[in-house]
Amino acid sequence: MNIKMVSTKDLDEIFRLESNTFKKDAFSKNSILNLIINNTFFFKLINKDNSNEIVGFIIVIQDQEHRVNLINLIISKQYQNKGYGSHLLKYTLFKIKEMNNIEVIVLNVNSKNEVAIWLYQKFGFRIVQKIENYYRQKKSAYLMILNI
Ligand SMILES: CC(C)(COP(=O)(O)OP(=O)(O)OC[C@H]1O[C@@H](n2cnc3c(N)ncnc32)[C@H](O)[C@@H]1OP(=O)(O)O)[C@@H](O)C(=O)NCCC(=O)NCCS
């Protein structure tokens, strides 16, 4: 597995993974394109043993002078629970720390998404707020933060 920056050539493959994962809650193709063009970090994890298939990706944007927002983290279904999400997150946290000016990382996660919450907590993120009706169908989110 390798980690690389996403480019516009990856748009279709990334969008497929995004919509297979989040269905109606997925980002539109146009939003993904905008995020490819305007991101702080948009990394893909690729399987070099299978034609560089995209196994997962992570998107981070800087939304304040000293803050980044982890917008999305996905590992393709058949590759989940093998440590790849942890690997990609660990690499990204390292890159954020290298920026030197970032003091806090924020993210929103579906409050029922136990695996993701577990993963973020493993890396030190704390739940600071529950936001009701954040997603469609009144699903709530947790706001999680990590001070660095
Ligand atoms: C969240 C996601 C990225 C995690 O990726 P992954 O590669 O499966 O994660 P890892 O294998 O590195 O780690 C999963 C951890 O969850 C644990 N886990 C698995 N099932 C679990 C469950 N039902 N409840 C709690 N923890 C669970 C695993 O034991 C592992 O913990 P460990 O590292 O202590 O052993 C992946 O599940 C995914 O893409 N989900 C769909 C998209 C999504 O919801 N993304 C989050 C958006 S904010």
Side-chain angles (χ1 to χ4, degrees):
M1 298 289 166
N2 278 349
I3 296 174
K4 295 241 161 74
M5 285 289 275
V6 165
S7 82
T8 50
K9 286 186 201 132
D10 301 313
L11 178 61
D12 287 346
E13 207 178 339
I14 292 281
F15 179 64
R16 208 176 314 124
L17 191 45
E18 168 76 18
S19 26
N20 285 343
T21 306
F22 289 121
K23 318 282 181 209
K24 284 185 176 159
D25 286 327
F27 282 128
S28 68
K29 202 171 193 175
N30 202 41
S31 300
I32 299 272
L33 177 61
N34 283 330
L35 286 163
I36 293 177
I37 297 164
N38 296 305
N39 67 79
T40 303
F41 296 119
F42 196 153
F43 295 125
K44 58 180 175 177
L45 184 68
I46 53 175
N47 185 353
K48 54 184 183 326
D49 297 329
N50 186 23
S51 319
N52 288 338
E53 171 198 12
I54 297 179
V55 167
F57 63 86
I58 188 165
I59 310 171
V60 174
I61 58 161
Q62 185 172 356
D63 59 357
Q64 290 180 13
E65 194 185 350
H66 298 294
R67 184 175 99 165
V68 290
N69 195 324
L70 201 167
I71 299 284
N72 210 350
L73 167 63
I74 290 180
I75 298 294
S76 177
K77 192 110 197 135
Q78 66 269 34
Y79 290 94
Q80 287 177 7
N81 267 312
K82 298 180 193 302
Y84 295 129
S86 303
H87 177 59
L88 192 52
L89 183 57
K90 188 175 178 184
Y91 177 85
T92 305
L93 294 179
F94 179 77
K95 289 288 173 189
I96 293 168
K97 282 174 191 158
E98 269 189 349
M99 291 170 74
N100 283 324
N101 59 331
I102 300 304
E103 292 166 1
V104 63
I105 308 172
V106 298
L107 62 85
N108 292 106
V109 60
N110 187 322
S111 59
K112 299 237 161 56
N113 192 342
E114 290 178 3
V115 179
I117 293 166
W118 170 259
L119 180 66
Y120 294 133
Q121 284 179 331
K122 194 172 81 173
F123 284 90
F125 283 87
R126 295 177 291 117
I127 295 171
V128 290
Q129 193 187 336
K130 187 170 187 183
I131 308 167
E132 304 292 345
N133 305 324
Y134 183 81
Y135 300 103
R136 282 165 192 254
Q137 290 152 352
K138 302 194 167 185
K139 286 183 274 182
S140 57
Y142 285 136
L143 169 66
M144 299 186 78
I145 66 164
L146 174 66
N147 293 104
I148 53 172

